[in-house]
Amino acid sequence: MTAPPGPQTALTRLVGVRHPLVQTGMGWVAGPRLVSAVANAGALGILASATMTPEGLRAAVREVGSRTKAPFGVNLRADAGDARERVRIMIDEGVRVASFALAPTKDLMAELKDAGVLVIPSVGARRHAEKVAAWGADAVVVQGGEGGGHTGDVATTVLLPQVVDAVDIPVVAAGGFCDGRGLVAALAYGAAGVAMGTRFLLTAESTVPDAVKARYLAATVKDITVTTRVDGLPHRMLRTDLVTALERSGPLRSLLRAARHASAFRHASGTSWPALLADGLSLRHEKRLTWSQLLLAANTPMMLKSALVDGDPDRGLMASGQVAARIADLPTCAELIARTVREARRTHESLHRGPFGT
């Protein structure tokens, strides 16, 4: 299905995509199949690399390249000990966009920009957007508190206009978006597009197991919560028996579980113990975590994998934006993007016929 012509914005002109829509780099979810489907449908797909080895990243980038000639990006952990190696892989393989969950360092950003790679960090606060803009970021993704995974406490409707007014680079809105009405609303606030995670997780090309997708589709607003008991940081996810158990467990049990998961993640990601420790120290400095919180952070990757890859929602975690409560189907990426663009056009036209129309 081909989408009708959509709005052309600073984002579409910057990246070279047809539609101002971004699929976020969700760990264990945003692999070559999903990213290439999004790219072929005219939006910007972002490959998640944090859960891959460097060799796995190179293979994944090449697989996406074999599936599409459209631009796509790679999401990196700026605090990873092997971040520079991953940057070199991206440059070598001709990746168009570098996406960061944490602000990149100045030298990493300079290396990417010197190689012609667009740098688009994700932030959750106005001051962070101002910082990366001053460092030379090409655009910024701003996620409000409604967004899934690690999140803040400021709603998109407050945070987005703050950032738009504070920086002079394209701003992409994230947190609470799943359709064309949301796209028009974001554009009205001054954004150059919207980024969606949960909505793209719930598509036909997403490799998340069907049983887990069913749990998302059945969720109501009350089934989506924020907890700090997984890794010491605010984390939005579906409430399950496991989440309740984590919130009730004592500190010793939580730390023992975290240590087991740290070992499992080391094997899955190909990370050595020294590199894992270095990453942890960087995270501790960046997020000002206590040592207990740092060890708890080892929970996240493998507990997410249990649900999103292994298909066991009762033993894993399901990161989710609040918008999951509005999603009721599993379209292909092409269908979703075409529908979003059509709805945005209809919404825009209805506004011109409304009280402000002529």
Side-chain angles (χ1 to χ4, degrees), residues 1 5 130 200 229:
M1 177 178 293
E130 291 171 335
F200 279 110
R229 291 307 301 273

Side-chain angles (χ1 to χ4, degrees), residues 20-24 26 141-148 154-161 164 171-202 320-327 336 339-340 343:
L21 302 170
V22 178
Q23 161 255 307
T24 60
M26 300 165 281
V141 175
V142 177
Q143 177 176 305
E146 301 95 321
V154 180
T156 303
T157 51
V158 176
L159 181 60
L160 175 59
V164 167
V171 176
V172 180
F177 298 99
C178 67
D179 59 16
R181 290 181 297 173
L183 173 57
V184 172
L187 295 178
Y189 272 114
V194 299
M196 303 186 293
T198 306
R199 176 63 276 192
F200 279 110
L201 183 153
L202 294 170
S320 176
Q322 285 183 310
V323 77
R326 294 185 52 210
I327 298 173
L336 172 62
R339 184 171 73 192
T340 300
E343 185 177 29

Side-chain angles (χ1 to χ4, degrees), residues 4 10 38 54 85 133 156 158 179-180 186 192 203 225 263 276 353:
V38 170
E85 179 183 0
T156 303
V158 176
D179 59 16
T203 56
T225 189
S263 179
L276 193 65
R353 295 193 299 269

Side-chain angles (χ1 to χ4, degrees), residues 8-17 19-22 44 96-98 113 118-123 126 128-130 132-134 136-143 159-174 186-187 189-195:
Q8 296 303 292
T9 70
L11 175 67
T12 60
R13 291 188 289 271
L14 174 69
V15 181
V17 293
H19 308 297
L21 302 170
V22 178
L44 178 63
R96 175 67 172 158
V97 173
K113 290 178 65 67
L118 299 171
V119 179
I120 306 180
S122 296
V123 301
R126 178 177 61 185
H128 297 154
E130 291 171 335
V132 296
D138 296 286
V140 65
V141 175
V142 177
Q143 177 176 305
L159 181 60
L160 175 59
Q162 280 187 326
V163 173
V164 167
D165 290 345
V167 301
D168 59 1
I169 57 177
V171 176
V172 180
L187 295 178
Y189 272 114
V194 299

Side-chain angles (χ1 to χ4, degrees), residues 195-269:
M196 303 186 293
T198 306
R199 176 63 276 192
F200 279 110
L201 183 153
L202 294 170
T203 56
E205 290 90 352
S206 164
T207 57
V208 172
D210 290 342
V212 177
K213 288 180 180 178
R215 295 284 284 270
Y216 278 95
L217 293 176
T220 68
V221 171
K222 293 183 178 180
D223 297 320
I224 305 165
T225 189
V226 174
T227 182
T228 60
R229 291 307 301 273
V230 173
D231 57 9
L233 299 170
H235 200 144
R236 187 177 292 284
M237 61 188 64
L238 296 190
R239 176 165 288 285
T240 62
D241 290 343
L242 173 62
V243 173
T244 300
L246 289 172
E247 292 178 338
R248 293 175 178 172
S249 64
L252 179 59
R253 186 175 179 181
S254 296
L255 292 175
L256 290 173
R257 180 191 304 109
R260 291 196 304 271
H261 285 135
S263 179
F265 178 66
R266 185 180 72 85
H267 287 290
S269 63

Side-chain angles (χ1 to χ4, degrees), residues 36-122:
S36 58
V38 170
N40 283 326
L44 178 63
I46 303 292
L47 188 69
S49 77
T51 53
M52 301 175 182
T53 64
E55 295 78 11
L57 170 59
R58 188 182 295 275
V61 168
R62 289 180 177 178
E63 183 177 347
V64 176
S66 72
R67 291 170 175 256
T68 183
K69 299 306 177 186
F72 66 94
V74 170
N75 182 260
L76 300 169
R77 276 185 52 195
D79 61 329
D82 61 359
R84 186 169 299 280
E85 179 183 0
R86 293 169 184 265
V87 164
R88 290 310 313 171
I89 291 171
M90 292 176 56
I91 293 172
D92 291 345
E93 299 297 330
V95 173
R96 175 67 172 158
V97 173
S99 162
F100 286 89
L102 299 173
T105 60
K106 286 184 178 180
D107 58 335
L108 276 184
M109 183 181 291
E111 185 174 354
L112 286 160
K113 290 178 65 67
D114 287 347
V117 181
L118 299 171
V119 179
I120 306 180
S122 296

